[in-house]
Amino acid sequence: MSTARAKLNIRRQIVRSFKKQQLTLQADAMTFLEDTLEAQNVPPEDLNDTLDNIVAGYVAREGLNLVSRARLEVVLESMQKWTHHLHEKPTRNTLDPHKSQHNPSQSTHYSSSQHHYQHSQQRPNPEDLESIDMDSMRDRIHEMEGDQSMGERYQHGDDDLFMEGAHDSMSQMERLGEDDADDVDITEMLHVVDAFSMPRWSWASDIKTFTRVESTVNPQEPDGQGYNNGSTRATSSTNHVLGQAEEKTAMFRARYHVLLQRIMRNECFAPPVFTGGMEQDRYLKLTPLKALKGRCGERFLMFGMLVQMGDGKYCLEDADDRVELVMDHSQNSAGLFTENCFVLVEGQYTDDNVIIVETIGLPPPELRDETKKVFGNIDFLGAPKEMRSEEQLKVIAQEYEDISFIILADIWLDQPKTFATLRTIFEGYSNSTLPLAFIMCGSFKSQPFLFNGLESGQYRDGFNTLAELIAEFPTMATFSYFIFVPGPNDPWGASILPRPKIPDFYTAKIRSLVKRSIFASNPCRIKYCDQEIVIFREDILNRLLRNCIVPPCGDVVIQKQLVRTIIDGAHLCPLPLTTRQVSWAHDHALRIYPIPDALILADKFEAYNFKYQNCHCMNPGSFPTSDYSWMVYYPASRRSDICQIPKPVR
């Protein structure tokens, strides 16, 4: 490999391998990788396989589009450290209703994938870089990914041959995923991501991508705990709830830029390649507010945030300027428009420096698959890394057709009838297919919590009674997850979103008796196989209706207008801060971008379930006020059912 031609071939293959994952190598990273490959004496026929393994390791650990030498060195060093774990698989257990269990040597509380994640976070000794065994690394990663055929396709260096065999390779990968589905512990596929653990990303206009921002820690977990299969992780920074003063304006700018970059990639707003003739009229052109000066009498399409000034007048505000709006005769599309929500406004600019609004609407949404095509290497969620591909995870999810999530809201533990109904529900599921998870949303008290000794004791007694009830069903208490999301009446930060989890003082007994009990923040997210599920407990519909600037459109049912407002606006709580306070430093945890696979809006409003933009949206309703009904979600088919205990026939 010492000839100039051989070095040129290495460089070409490096560029091709990284380009397939939309990665760009810096010059120093390219030189470092060339020298490393040459020092390891990798045979030419194995070069593509080796590069694919390195790229896979980089994407799994870093995920940034721009590859620097420092990050590449860390990836290569860490791959030598954790590849010896990748071949381990859980053993089958016929007693486990989910088909398998952990090896006895593994921890019973943490999943093996969590163990791998924590192990990989330890920075290896840089001196170990010289001892990297590329053959061992390649073999072990191939054993996990089931991608043996890819190397055979690449070894000729023929791009056309690769394209011809792509479908065959994908089919083989799916078959391998089906084989792995029988050996996997399905409980390892579920992870709960706390709102205070999500990575914070900011849009960088100069490089047209998202960049990572230091996030703050969970106020209840200043020591920075890791995930449990379903637990949370926190990164180190400050311990403030609201954050620094400058983060308030940064919060709104971040919302603005996330939506603006999404709008500009929409086909209706993308300018044509050729600007002559009639093609200029075939797309919608956004006009910045600062460009309105001196153009009175013209009609414009603008994008910005609705704000109310001190005199009660409404304005549209973007990153540079604001303009007053007159909405007396405006027509609005489906949606709930409140102060601080981001909208598209079309109207005429007048001599009085105001806009006579003709139409107001929400920004166009973007399908999850389209977002992943553009930002596929950015980890917006922050869940533990999976060594299986998206295709394999999808096959696993479809293999377990009976897996279900039970969703309940307003579990009033101070009401005796709640426990009687829960006992009937637990008895039914313990005698049939066991759910993978019970998602129990607050409030866990029928009246607002008062911070006094009497209230605290009664609140803790409610969870103690629930723990004893669940413990009466040992199989359920051992194998099913119980995920608790706080509500408006629960203690600890009720007036600020996101809400931290319920304090450990009240939940000690349930955590000791229920093996997989998880107390999460509000909102929180679930990563199950290839799906992302968002859980938000808030009476958001009534709040939005009370704060609407313009009357809602009467042609669309109000539930669908609510979902459109949240998904199109890419935010769970598009309300003014005077109505619903949001932590400035953690506003990104309320962001709905990319669109999740399922969205649970636990509200007091009547139950509903429907799909919007390939997102399954559902509301289980209030458990005690809806005659004790609940929702069941089946991730394999991505459908949900509203369930209720049958009433006795008289």
Side-chain angles (χ1 to χ4, degrees):
M1 285 194 180
S2 59
T3 64
R5 184 177 182 84
K7 290 184 177 181
L8 181 60
N9 290 334
I10 293 176
R11 179 177 288 264
R12 288 176 176 174
Q13 293 181 17
I14 291 174
V15 172
R16 185 183 299 117
S17 297
F18 278 80
K19 188 175 182 181
K20 283 187 299 184
Q21 297 295 331
Q22 299 181 353
L23 301 175
T24 302
L25 278 166
Q26 292 183 345
D28 57 348
M30 173 71 75
T31 304
F32 166 73
L33 189 54
E34 288 178 354
D35 296 341
T36 302
L37 293 173
E38 186 172 3
Q40 294 296 324
N41 293 322
V42 179
E45 62 273 13
D46 293 339
L47 182 59
N48 276 308
D49 291 350
T50 303
L51 288 171
D52 289 339
N53 295 334
I54 295 174
V55 172
Y58 178 86
V59 171
R61 181 180 176 90
E62 301 292 342
L64 298 178
N65 297 76
L66 190 61
V67 182
S68 65
R69 172 170 179 167
R71 294 184 181 276
L72 192 59
E73 287 180 353
V74 172
V75 169
L76 288 177
E77 293 165 4
S78 62
M79 289 176 73
Q80 173 66 15
K81 292 293 184 181
W82 50 250
T83 47
H84 67 279
H85 291 290
L86 301 183
H87 67 283
E88 297 178 0
K89 294 184 178 180
T91 58
R92 299 292 299 275
N93 179 9
T94 56
L95 299 179
D96 190 333
H98 300 305
K99 294 188 178 181
S100 59
Q101 66 174 2
H102 297 290
N103 288 330
S105 61
Q106 295 176 339
S107 170
T108 59
H109 184 70
Y110 294 95
S111 70
S112 60
S113 61
Q114 177 200 355
H115 174 74
H116 299 160
Y117 177 82
Q118 293 177 334
H119 187 86
S120 66
Q121 293 299 311
Q122 301 175 359
R123 184 178 177 91
N125 188 345
E127 296 179 357
D128 292 339
L129 179 62
E130 299 178 357
S131 62
I132 293 179
D133 186 351
M134 303 298 288
D135 294 333
S136 175
M137 175 180 64
R138 180 178 64 254
D139 293 341
R140 296 184 187 278
I141 293 183
H142 271 271
E143 184 176 354
M144 274 300 298
E145 295 183 345
D147 200 14
Q148 292 88 344
S149 64
M150 300 298 285
E152 298 175 0
R153 295 290 181 180
Y154 290 159
Q155 65 182 353
H156 303 291
D158 190 341
D159 294 338
D160 295 334
L161 180 60
F162 165 72
M163 295 303 297
E164 293 172 1
H167 296 292
D168 296 336
S169 300
M170 191 63 66
S171 299
Q172 183 173 358
M173 185 181 298
E174 293 177 356
R175 291 194 298 270
L176 290 169
E178 293 173 356
D179 297 337
D180 290 342
D182 293 333
D183 297 328
V184 72
D185 184 349
I186 194 63
T187 60
E188 294 182 0
M189 299 292 103
L190 186 146
H191 307 278
V192 177
V193 181
D194 193 273
F196 301 95
S197 306
M198 291 185 60
R200 185 175 177 181
W201 297 89
S202 177
W203 176 254
S205 302
D206 52 347
I207 59 176
K208 303 298 182 183
T209 189
F210 288 91
T211 57
R212 183 76 175 265
V213 181
E214 280 296 324
S215 59
T216 56
V217 303
N218 189 332
Q220 295 192 84
E221 297 184 5
D223 55 343
Q225 295 295 325
Y227 299 100
N228 61 29
N229 263 29
S231 71
T232 61
R233 177 183 65 121
T235 55
S236 60
S237 184
T238 180
N239 197 21
H240 299 158
V241 175
L242 286 176
Q244 304 298 325
E246 60 270 15
E247 290 182 315
K248 182 177 181 180
T249 55
M251 171 183 70
F252 290 114
R253 285 183 175 270
R255 295 188 195 179
Y256 172 80
H257 286 296
V258 166
L259 292 173
L260 181 61
Q261 61 86 20
R262 193 185 74 184
I263 292 172
M264 299 310 296
R265 285 189 287 104
N266 187 280
E267 59 181 5
C268 297
F269 292 85
V273 178
F274 301 100
T275 59
M278 298 178 59
E279 293 193 7
Q280 290 185 348
D281 300 329
R282 295 181 182 177
Y283 79 103
L284 302 173
K285 181 180 179 181
L286 287 181
T287 302
L289 298 184
K290 65 181 181 180
L292 300 180
K293 305 298 183 183
R295 304 175 67 178
C296 301
E298 298 184 35
R299 296 176 69 253
F300 299 99
L301 178 62
M302 299 148 288
F303 172 69
M305 181 176 67
L306 291 176
V307 296
Q308 187 176 24
M309 306 305 294
D311 54 3
K313 297 179 180 179
Y314 288 99
C315 295
L316 185 71
E317 182 177 307
D318 64 7
D320 302 305
D321 205 350
R322 69 164 61 102
V323 62
E324 182 182 340
L325 301 178
V326 178
M327 298 182 288
D328 297 337
H329 305 288
S330 64
Q331 296 180 352
N332 58 296
S333 61
L336 305 176
F337 302 97
T338 65
E339 184 184 354
N340 285 11
C341 75
F342 289 85
V343 295
L344 290 168
V345 173
E346 185 177 18
Q348 184 176 5
Y349 187 61
T350 67
D351 295 334
D352 298 327
N353 297 328
V354 300
I355 295 291
I356 306 298
V357 179
E358 299 176 4
T359 307
I360 182 172
L362 294 167
E366 182 178 73
L367 293 175
R368 180 179 179 87
D369 291 340
E370 295 298 323
T371 305
K372 292 174 68 176
K373 288 179 182 178
V374 181
F375 306 114
N377 296 325
I378 295 180
D379 180 17
F380 291 99
L381 182 59
K385 301 293 184 181
E386 293 286 353
M387 297 309 299
R388 297 176 178 86
S389 65
E390 288 287 328
E391 292 77 12
Q392 290 174 309
L393 293 174
K394 185 175 182 180
V395 170
I396 293 173
Q398 294 174 349
E399 177 76 12
Y400 288 82
E401 298 178 354
D402 295 333
I403 289 295
S404 62
F405 295 164
I406 310 302
I407 309 165
L408 308 95
D410 285 344
I411 311 297
W412 292 347
L413 301 180
D414 55 351
Q415 301 291 330
K417 191 175 180 180
T418 299
F419 293 101
T421 309
L422 287 176
R423 178 182 297 276
T424 304
I425 294 174
F426 293 160
E427 288 175 349
Y429 283 114
S430 63
N431 295 326
S432 60
T433 304
L434 194 66
L436 178 61
F438 287 86
I439 302 174
M440 294 188 167
C441 302
S443 299
F444 296 100
K445 194 175 183 299
S446 57
Q447 300 296 326
F449 185 88
L450 300 178
F451 289 90
N452 56 52
L454 180 62
E455 290 278 342
S456 296
Q458 294 175 350
Y459 189 80
R460 183 172 59 178
D461 291 342
F463 277 105
N464 292 345
T465 306
L466 178 61
E468 295 170 356
L469 174 61
I470 298 174
E472 294 180 12
F473 306 91
T475 305
M476 184 180 299
T478 303
F479 295 109
S480 290
Y481 286 99
F482 283 82
I483 303 169
F484 298 89
V485 180
N489 294 341
D490 295 311
W492 211 266
S495 60
I496 300 179
L497 291 175
R499 287 173 50 92
K501 68 175 185 177
I502 298 173
D504 294 342
F505 170 77
Y506 302 106
T507 62
K509 189 168 185 178
I510 198 169
R511 286 184 286 110
S512 63
L513 295 181
V514 182
K515 175 183 176 182
R516 288 172 170 154
S517 61
I518 301 165
F519 288 85
S521 63
N522 180 27
C524 65
R525 299 169 194 246
I526 293 177
K527 175 69 183 303
Y528 171 72
C529 292
D530 64 324
Q531 297 187 32
E532 177 185 349
I533 304 171
V534 176
I535 307 171
F536 185 43
R537 173 62 184 98
E538 179 75 11
D539 297 327
I540 188 66
L541 181 56
N542 286 334
R543 289 179 182 269
L544 286 173
L545 290 174
R546 289 197 300 265
N547 291 273
C548 278
I549 296 176
V550 294
C553 177
D555 299 334
V556 183
V557 295
I558 200 66
Q559 299 96 317
K560 293 187 177 180
Q561 295 198 56
L562 167 66
V563 170
R564 286 194 61 175
T565 302
I566 290 176
I567 291 183
D568 293 2
H571 201 272
L572 285 171
C573 190
L575 285 166
L577 297 182
T578 54
T579 302
R580 195 68 173 101
Q581 187 62 257
V582 174
S583 172
W584 310 332
H586 302 97
D587 181 71
H588 62 282
L590 302 175
R591 191 180 298 167
I592 301 296
Y593 189 79
I595 297 176
D597 298 282
L599 175 62
I600 301 173
L601 297 174
D603 199 310
K604 287 185 177 180
F605 197 76
E606 63 184 22
Y608 58 80
N609 54 348
F610 55 85
K611 278 193 175 183
Y612 178 70
Q613 297 294 318
N614 291 341
C615 174
H616 190 83
C617 308
M618 50 193 145
N619 171 31
S622 179
F623 187 59
T625 61
S626 61
D627 203 9
Y628 295 95
S629 62
W630 67 93
M631 190 81 68
V632 182
Y633 175 63
Y634 300 94
S637 57
R638 305 199 181 194
R639 64 178 179 86
S640 62
D641 295 326
I642 301 174
C643 300
Q644 192 175 24
I645 298 176
K647 296 182 179 180
V649 179
R650 295 182 180 178

